[in-house]
Amino acid sequence: MKNVLKISIALFVTVALGACGSSETKRAADGKTGGGESGDKKVISVEPNMDAETLAQAGEQLMNPATFMLADTALDMSLAKDPENKRAQFYKYAIKRLMTLKGAGTRFRPFIAANGDVKTYDVESKKFPNSPLKDFLFKGKEDIKTMTQVQDFLVSYRDALLEYHTWLRKNQDLNLTLNLNPFVFQGNLRADELNACEVVGTSENGLDVKCDYTEIAQRKVNAADMIAIRQMVAGEILYFTIYTAYSAEGVDRVVRLNKKRNLTGEQILDILTNNAEFGKLRKDNTLSIITSLGADLMSAWKWALANQRALCPAGELAGTRKGQVFENGICIKYDSETEKYANLADQALMGAITVKLHKPGTDNEKETRVDYLAWARKPVADLRDIAPVSFNHCDKADRIKDNTLGGFYPNGDAEFFLDTKCDD
Amino acid sequence: MIRIVGSLLLIGLGIAVAMPTPASAESAIEKFALSTCKNEGRLRCLKATASKAEGGSLKPIYVLRNLEVTLVDSAKSEKTVTVSERGYLDFETNRLVLDTKNGEKVFNLSDLSVNEWKLK
């Protein structure tokens, strides 16, 4: 490990915080709120003779999308000196999952070569600007070839999230003042410049404005913010728990065969169910952890739905057709019914509740019992056990093997709620 | 793939370097009190008091200290009191969450339902 890092960040900023760290009174009649010089350069030194807090602060200054992996080194050095340094812990746990992305750009290449357009991928990779981030993402072995290995990769990301969530719970009353790197967060700081000013008087030429920039580059994280962060992390956990619960082995084959999107739902199901591994509950699944998220779960649910589109662009994986079983690959299907799920209450997450639901595409409404987290409490061992057994003439599943859908509909009326309506 | 890794980076870093407001913009309330009633066939009221409420800036959440929550159901002539050293008020999900010995007790402020999460 490098024990000395000297990082120069030369960012040509048009507005630097010239008044940062000072208090001043100035005339604001011309509408300007301050300014700075271009071509500023920031040097962040990380040296072994620094104390733990100074190293943590150096790591803090490196917290940005281009250099977080360098921050990780500084934070390690800080924690080696003082394992209890909260600033270093705060950032270390926050970027732990990002560190699992190391080498991802190269590691995934064999998988992309087998299933996608590797030429385009290579061209795009070469265009990536030379930077510590490029080294971080592209230095590695080409070792991810199968869907199982893709999921193993996601498991390490998910497990880092779980560690972060546990740390946030343990340190729920943490109060920390963060010092932002003004070169990286200039946009945020510029916006806050105005908030740092108040009108103290008026005169012929304009207003007298007093600006106090003393704390403009600082952010305070308090106990309430720790809960907010914990809820967002819980949302990520929920999302990646779903992605990593069942073997997706075989989905890659569907992608290859369905490039022209001409396979029927029945054909896709055949391909998947004929793969011995597909749909098996993974041994390292964390479905049972979902209920231990406690009150965070409701916010997590909302977060996962809100970020669904960003995390799972349409057609990224299986590329199947609209209305089919695996629409948009293995993503959660987002529609008006899903929107309703976003309004779940804790009660609905704790056990089966009685609700009125519409049969999709009709005005038929039926009262039933739904256990939204049945799979978290007692996971289905093999997705084949709940798979469709027949499809109608417009290729929509109209019968399924288990009419409780793995306990989701305890009354055994899952088929009623299948979307079987055809457009013709 | 690059797109997905990019999304992960942005979302992950978005949370890692969450942007609270400046350090000077703290909001704390001494001697906090909240009361709300629902009348859906029977009148039920919730009253919560706390020695202090401290607001965050990332979400509309207030951490409460030394809480006492009283729930009154007029139809059943029931009055239940729950005390806790710590809890929080989450206006995003409209819930009051109390830390308990075994987990969390959740008061839904929309319908005054109460649920308990047992945490490992």
Side-chain angles (χ1 to χ4, degrees):
Chain A
M1 187 183 82
K2 287 179 194 172
N3 58 6
V4 178
L5 285 170
K6 282 222 173 199
I7 299 118
S8 298
I9 301 176
L11 295 175
F12 296 93
V13 290
T14 49
V15 176
L17 294 161
C20 191
S22 67
S23 180
E24 61 169 342
T25 303
K26 63 178 173 238
R27 193 133 309 218
D30 57 0
K32 290 180 183 171
T33 55
E37 292 170 11
S38 301
D40 290 350
K41 186 177 181 182
K42 185 173 178 70
V43 178
I44 299 164
S45 297
V46 179
E47 295 176 21
N49 59 351
M50 290 176 168
D51 62 31
E53 179 60 13
T54 310
L55 285 164
Q57 285 173 354
E60 183 174 53
Q61 294 300 300
L62 292 165
M63 285 293 293
N64 71 73
T67 58
F68 68 87
M69 70 300 299
L70 303 177
D72 190 64
T73 304
L75 298 170
D76 279 341
M77 289 165 71
S78 170
L79 290 168
K81 291 198 170 187
D82 176 12
E84 296 305 314
N85 185 290
K86 292 298 174 191
R87 185 183 307 279
Q89 285 182 359
F90 178 80
Y91 287 114
K92 178 74 188 174
Y93 279 96
I95 60 171
K96 209 163 200 173
R97 65 193 181 290
L98 301 181
M99 294 305 291
T100 69
L101 302 178
K102 190 173 184 180
T106 303
R107 295 186 67 195
F108 274 94
R109 196 180 175 280
F111 184 79
I112 293 161
N115 299 289
D117 180 359
V118 78
K119 278 185 185 170
T120 307
Y121 182 78
D122 287 343
V123 169
E124 293 299 320
S125 301
K126 274 184 186 163
K127 280 185 198 164
F128 205 98
N130 287 336
S131 61
L133 180 61
K134 185 174 188 175
D135 291 344
F136 174 78
L137 287 177
F138 288 94
K139 276 190 181 169
K141 286 182 183 170
E142 296 186 10
D143 61 353
I144 294 178
K145 295 167 186 161
T146 64
M147 276 307 291
T148 300
Q149 287 167 330
V150 170
Q151 286 185 296
D152 291 344
F153 175 86
L154 296 177
V155 162
S156 60
Y157 188 93
R158 178 203 70 195
D159 290 348
L161 280 167
L162 288 168
E163 283 185 56
Y164 188 23
H165 192 262
T166 302
W167 183 84
L168 288 164
R169 258 205 199 286
K170 273 187 191 165
N171 293 276
Q172 59 182 3
D173 281 325
L174 184 73
N175 273 291
L176 203 57
T177 300
L178 310 178
N179 301 297
L180 301 185
N181 183 332
F183 289 81
V184 176
F185 295 102
Q186 53 177 298
N188 298 79
L189 303 187
R190 193 190 303 178
D192 283 337
E193 272 186 13
L194 292 173
N195 297 330
C197 299
E198 61 175 325
V199 177
V200 292
T202 55
S203 64
E204 274 180 25
N205 299 326
L207 300 173
D208 285 328
V209 179
K210 186 178 183 190
C211 298
D212 182 357
Y213 299 113
T214 318
E215 295 176 335
I216 199 170
Q218 290 185 321
R219 295 291 184 274
K220 187 162 184 178
V221 172
N222 64 15
D225 293 319
M226 291 292 276
I227 293 168
I229 296 171
R230 204 178 72 204
Q231 289 178 345
M232 291 186 266
V233 172
E236 279 194 271
I237 290 172
L238 181 62
Y239 206 91
F240 285 96
T241 291
I242 294 166
Y243 264 121
T244 54
Y246 290 92
S247 169
E249 204 58 63
V251 170
D252 47 343
R253 186 152 183 257
V254 171
V255 174
R256 281 198 303 276
L257 297 174
N258 199 29
K259 278 184 180 155
K260 290 181 182 169
R261 300 196 168 209
N262 54 355
L263 291 180
T264 65
E266 200 163 5
Q267 288 170 325
I268 290 172
L269 192 67
D270 270 349
I271 295 167
L272 293 175
T273 52
N274 282 326
N275 186 308
E277 286 307 308
F278 172 78
K280 297 261 171 71
L281 184 65
R282 283 176 61 108
K283 282 182 183 161
D284 55 8
N285 82 82
T286 47
L287 286 169
S288 64
I289 280 178
I290 289 178
T291 52
S292 67
L293 293 174
D296 290 350
L297 183 55
M298 207 163 86
S299 309
W301 181 257
K302 285 175 186 287
W303 186 94
L305 289 178
N307 286 279
Q308 150 77 359
R309 285 176 184 170
L311 283 168
C312 190
E316 188 70 39
L317 280 171
T320 57
R321 294 185 307 183
K322 217 170 167 50
Q324 291 188 339
V325 185
F326 295 100
E327 184 187 0
N328 295 342
I330 52 171
C331 306
I332 304 164
K333 189 180 166 192
Y334 198 100
D335 56 16
S336 57
E337 285 297 309
T338 319
E339 198 79 58
K340 284 184 196 166
Y341 300 155
N343 297 318
L344 292 181
D346 288 81
Q347 204 178 355
L349 299 173
M350 287 179 154
I353 56 162
T354 302
V355 288
K356 274 187 180 174
L357 292 177
H358 273 103
K359 180 172 177 59
T362 72
D363 292 330
N364 294 347
E365 198 179 48
K366 185 181 173 181
E367 189 172 272
T368 189
R369 288 174 71 236
V370 174
D371 185 354
Y372 290 101
L373 291 185
W375 288 25
R377 279 180 277 275
K378 194 182 173 193
V380 172
D382 189 332
L383 292 181
R384 282 171 187 73
D385 298 339
I386 58 154
V389 288
S390 68
F391 292 79
N392 65 14
H393 72 278
C394 62
D395 201 32
K396 288 185 174 176
D398 58 5
R399 283 187 56 226
I400 48 177
K401 261 185 194 168
D402 172 9
N403 224 354
T404 72
L405 205 66
F408 189 90
Y409 293 99
N411 289 357
D413 50 5
E415 279 179 7
F416 178 84
F417 298 104
L418 289 176
D419 179 5
T420 54
K421 196 183 175 196
C422 300
D423 292 332
D424 52 26
Chain B
M1 191 59 226
I2 288 178
R3 225 173 351 150
I4 289 182
V5 169
S7 293
L8 292 177
L9 271 173
L10 288 175
I11 288 171
L13 273 169
I15 294 173
V17 196
M19 278 291 116
T21 49
S24 54
E26 290 178 73
S27 63
I29 305 165
E30 300 290 332
K31 291 186 180 172
F32 172 88
L34 165 90
S35 61
T36 181
C37 292
K38 291 284 156 198
N39 192 355
E40 290 163 349
R42 68 184 210 267
L43 184 67
R44 288 175 302 146
C45 289
L46 177 145
K47 186 182 177 189
T49 59
S51 63
K52 190 182 177 187
E54 185 187 13
S57 51
L58 290 173
K59 282 187 176 190
I61 291 174
Y62 282 81
V63 169
L64 308 170
R65 310 282 174 188
N66 305 312
L67 273 149
E68 184 175 296
V69 180
T70 308
L71 201 56
V72 180
D73 189 327
S74 61
K76 295 181 184 173
S77 303
E78 271 180 11
K79 181 179 171 181
T80 53
V81 179
T82 312
V83 292
S84 173
E85 285 183 8
R86 188 185 188 283
Y88 64 91
L89 190 55
D90 183 347
F91 284 115
E92 192 177 72
T93 54
N94 208 23
R95 297 177 307 162
L96 177 62
V97 182
L98 268 65
D99 289 354
T100 63
K101 201 175 172 184
N102 299 319
E104 292 168 323
K105 193 167 186 176
V106 182
F107 297 84
N108 186 326
L109 299 177
S110 302
D111 59 9
L112 297 189
S113 61
V114 186
N115 295 286
E116 274 193 89
W117 288 100
K118 283 185 182 166
L119 302 179
K120 286 169 190 170

